[in-house]
Amino acid sequence: KNEVEQSPQNLTAQEGEFITINCSYSVGISALHWLQQHPGGGIVSLFMLSSGKKKHGRLIATINIQEKHSSLHITASHPRDSAVYICAVAEYGNKLVFGAGTILRVKS
Amino acid sequence: NAGVTQTPKFQVLKTGQSMTLQCAQDMNHEYMSWYRQDPGMGLRLIHYSVGAGITDQGEVPNGYNVSRSTTEDFPLRLLSAAPSQTSVYFCASSSTGLAEAFFGQGTRLTVV
């Protein structure tokens, strides 16, 4: 069993829809990262969480440490949000263990 | 700001050749890491460093060597390339063990 599980693996949405991507992990962690990888391949950090909730523009990330679960929400989705969203957990220091990613496509 | 710079962006090697993937950061970050990304598997940690002179193995270290002689640079050496090392390689850095990670643009390596 993978230490980090993401769902769904693929997601297609209509522009304007509210999107949720889930991440569950099985190990004790010091922090959880949400990353975005665009079709060109570059990886950008969206959030780093160790508790609670963070918001940046239309993106919201939450984490429940007791349930070992995190969600990434995108409000009012737009075609430019189309990308791969990756959850990664830091078990020690910043040694990251990654989920397989969620491929998001937002249609106009 | 340059951030994390990886070179080269693309490379084709023949089996048995050696090469070095370069990674440099200009943010004075102590933590640097190398990952490889393969289809359907997510990124996996190859080697890791928490500061100059200190390195550690990750999940998939075999066939790779690293050193950290300066804070800025963290090169990854392929000792004798194999087709199984065909992958996209990412270097990342962060200021501490509990900080945002910054990634390089990646190196796409093909071993034939």
Side-chain angles (χ1 to χ4, degrees):
Chain A
K1 185 180 186 298
N2 291 335
E3 292 181 355
V4 182
E5 298 276 358
Q6 283 187 240
S7 63
Q9 290 185 328
N10 291 277
L11 181 55
T12 300
Q14 284 297 132
E15 183 173 358
E17 285 185 358
F18 181 85
I19 290 165
T20 296
I21 299 169
N22 296 299
C23 176
S24 296
Y25 53 93
S26 58
V27 296
I29 67 170
S30 56
L32 183 143
H33 298 251
W34 281 103
L35 309 166
Q36 181 190 55
Q37 185 170 28
H38 280 284
I43 299 173
V44 175
S45 175
L46 298 175
F47 296 103
M48 191 199 71
L49 296 161
S50 54
S51 64
K53 175 180 175 178
K54 287 189 176 181
K55 184 176 189 291
H56 180 70
R58 295 179 295 106
L59 301 179
I60 303 166
T62 63
I63 187 168
N64 186 317
I65 296 293
Q66 286 73 29
E67 294 186 3
K68 293 188 167 67
H69 181 269
S70 176
S71 293
L72 176 68
H73 305 287
I74 304 174
T75 62
S77 59
H78 188 276
R80 66 175 174 264
D81 296 326
S82 298
V84 178
Y85 291 84
I86 302 169
C87 171
V89 299
E91 296 180 69
Y92 165 74
N94 225 6
K95 294 171 69 172
L96 299 179
V97 178
F98 294 79
T102 294
I103 302 171
L104 172 64
R105 180 184 172 210
V106 182
K107 298 194 289 186
S108 57
Chain B
N1 292 337
V4 180
T5 303
Q6 285 184 238
T7 56
K9 288 196 71 174
F10 302 94
Q11 183 70 50
V12 179
L13 286 179
K14 293 182 179 179
T15 297
Q17 286 185 315
S18 63
M19 79 159 294
T20 299
L21 308 185
Q22 301 291 346
C23 176
Q25 51 89 13
D26 62 357
M27 297 172 283
N28 202 33
H29 285 173
E30 292 294 333
Y31 287 71
M32 295 186 76
S33 306
W34 275 103
Y35 300 93
R36 59 178 289 173
Q37 186 176 36
D38 301 295
M41 297 193 70
L43 288 93
R44 292 178 292 168
L45 180 65
I46 304 171
H47 282 288
Y48 179 78
S49 172
V50 298
I54 305 168
T55 63
D56 193 8
Q57 293 183 350
E59 182 184 352
V60 288
N62 292 340
Y64 307 96
N65 204 357
V66 292
S67 59
R68 186 95 181 271
S69 56
T70 68
T71 299
E72 295 77 21
D73 299 298
F74 191 43
L76 178 72
R77 297 181 187 85
L78 278 70
L79 309 172
S80 177
S84 61
Q85 294 178 304
T86 293
S87 188
V88 181
Y89 292 83
F90 287 94
C91 177
S93 75
S94 62
S95 56
T96 70
L98 203 66
E100 178 185 5
F102 292 81
F103 287 79
Q105 291 183 313
T107 296
R108 185 173 295 273
L109 175 68
T110 302
V111 182
V112 298

